[in-house]
Amino acid sequence: MLRISIDVSRDARQPFFDTRDAIHNVLTFALVRHGYHPVANRPSPWGFGVVGRRVRTRGPRRLWRVERIVVGTTEPTIAEALARITPDDLVEPSQVPSAGLDLRQSTLRHDVSWFATSALSVYALSPIRVLERTEESHQSMAILTLGPQWDAALNRTMATRFGRPFQLRVVPDEFYVRAHQGHLVAKMGIKKDRQGRPVILPGLVFPFLLLGPESDLRDAWFNGIGAGTGMGFGCLEVSEQ
């Protein structure tokens, strides 16, 4: 198991993104270069999150500057590939020279520390996406209201990803929820459609106490929580006490 923090220098070339797809491409390319073999139609056994700063631009396009990327996994072969990544690997493959996201001017910090616990005080570094399949359309829809249905769907989502039952329980920070009048939805651009428009999906962002068996908390901490972690959803950070 391993988590890596990628801190990007302010002098880095082209450290801007408009969707998480560019960052996903950088990370996947780096992992594949060191032995990772993605499996089609399988939930990602790893996850990442991004700390970015909004950049002022003219027109409707929204850009963020990359400041930090957190990526982690408990899957041994992926952890081995992740441990081999160097800053020179962190460039998006592109057929147009210098067109891809370039994060080679960055520093990497490895974190394998973990202690047995049944509770973590955390916040969502990126929106948490929990899905429920509807009987009418047979499609998975995001649940955007906290409660027993959200908790049950979260555990089903994690069970699907890891092939075993999960017993996580989320206790939201009540003061934060009240202060935001229950409006916890945040949207994130994950890629672009054929017309070049960003595909934006919703999730929930809030601080909370995560309870459950030690193995469940470990997998949530290193891999991310919920669905879409390979697209940048569900990355956790420890709340400062």
Side-chain angles (χ1 to χ4, degrees), residues 143-151 170-173 177 184 204 206-207:
I143 303 177
L144 301 175
T145 303
L146 293 173
Q149 181 187 13
W150 192 90
D151 288 346
V170 171
V171 181
D173 184 315
V177 174
L184 309 178
L204 299 183
F206 58 102

Side-chain angles (χ1 to χ4, degrees), residues 54-58 61 63:
R54 179 78 180 274
V55 179
R56 290 184 179 181
T57 58
R58 295 180 179 178
R61 188 184 183 193
L63 284 178

Side-chain angles (χ1 to χ4, degrees), residues 4 14-15 17 25 40 50 61 68 72 118 139 149 177 216 225:
I4 285 183
Q14 292 187 325
F17 68 98
N25 290 343
V50 184
R61 188 184 183 193
R68 171 175 291 179
S118 58
Q139 294 180 341
Q149 181 187 13
V177 174
D216 292 1
I225 191 172

Side-chain angles (χ1 to χ4, degrees), residues 6-223:
I6 303 169
D7 292 304
V8 182
S9 166
R10 290 185 176 275
D11 298 325
R13 185 179 182 185
Q14 292 187 325
F16 304 110
F17 68 98
D18 52 4
T19 68
R20 263 59 176 184
D21 194 40
I23 296 170
H24 173 269
N25 290 343
V26 169
L27 296 175
T28 301
F29 174 74
L31 287 169
V32 168
R33 187 173 184 179
H34 292 286
Y36 169 53
H37 301 287
V39 179
N41 300 318
R42 177 189 169 188
S44 296
W46 60 284
F48 75 90
V50 184
V51 177
R53 185 180 297 276
R54 179 78 180 274
V55 179
R56 290 184 179 181
T57 58
R58 295 180 179 178
R61 188 184 183 193
R62 294 187 174 186
L63 284 178
W64 286 263
R65 183 191 181 281
V66 181
E67 295 190 341
R68 171 175 291 179
I69 299 171
V70 177
V71 54
T73 184
T74 52
E75 209 286 321
T77 58
I78 301 178
E80 290 176 6
L82 189 58
R84 297 190 187 105
I85 291 176
T86 69
D88 287 342
D89 298 317
L90 301 176
V91 58
E92 184 181 15
S94 175
Q95 296 181 1
V96 180
S98 302
L101 184 65
D102 190 340
L103 304 176
R104 287 177 289 186
Q105 296 183 48
S106 60
T107 57
L108 278 62
R109 186 177 74 252
H110 292 194
D111 183 8
V112 297
S113 59
W114 176 254
F115 58 93
T117 183
S118 58
L120 279 177
S121 180
V122 295
Y123 64 91
L125 186 63
S126 53
I128 301 171
R129 189 163 166 81
V130 170
L131 306 178
E132 182 74 285
R133 182 175 290 274
T134 62
E135 295 182 359
E136 297 80 7
S137 63
H138 301 287
Q139 294 180 341
S140 295
M141 303 293 292
I143 303 177
L144 301 175
T145 303
L146 293 173
Q149 181 187 13
W150 192 90
D151 288 346
L154 170 64
N155 283 306
R156 284 195 297 271
T157 298
M158 298 295 284
T160 298
R161 289 179 60 198
F162 292 93
R164 63 175 180 81
F166 269 70
Q167 300 175 2
L168 294 172
R169 187 161 68 91
V170 171
V171 181
D173 184 315
E174 293 185 5
F175 178 79
Y176 182 93
V177 174
R178 285 200 305 270
H180 288 77
Q181 299 180 331
H183 300 305
L184 309 178
V185 177
K187 297 181 179 180
M188 195 169 76
I190 60 166
K191 61 181 180 180
K192 293 181 181 178
D193 62 19
R194 294 180 178 178
Q195 287 71 43
R197 298 170 300 193
V199 176
I200 298 174
L201 299 178
L204 299 183
V205 172
F206 58 102
F208 57 96
L209 187 65
L210 185 62
L211 307 174
E214 184 270 338
S215 59
D216 292 1
L217 297 184
R218 180 200 62 214
D219 286 341
W221 170 249
F222 281 96
N223 300 274

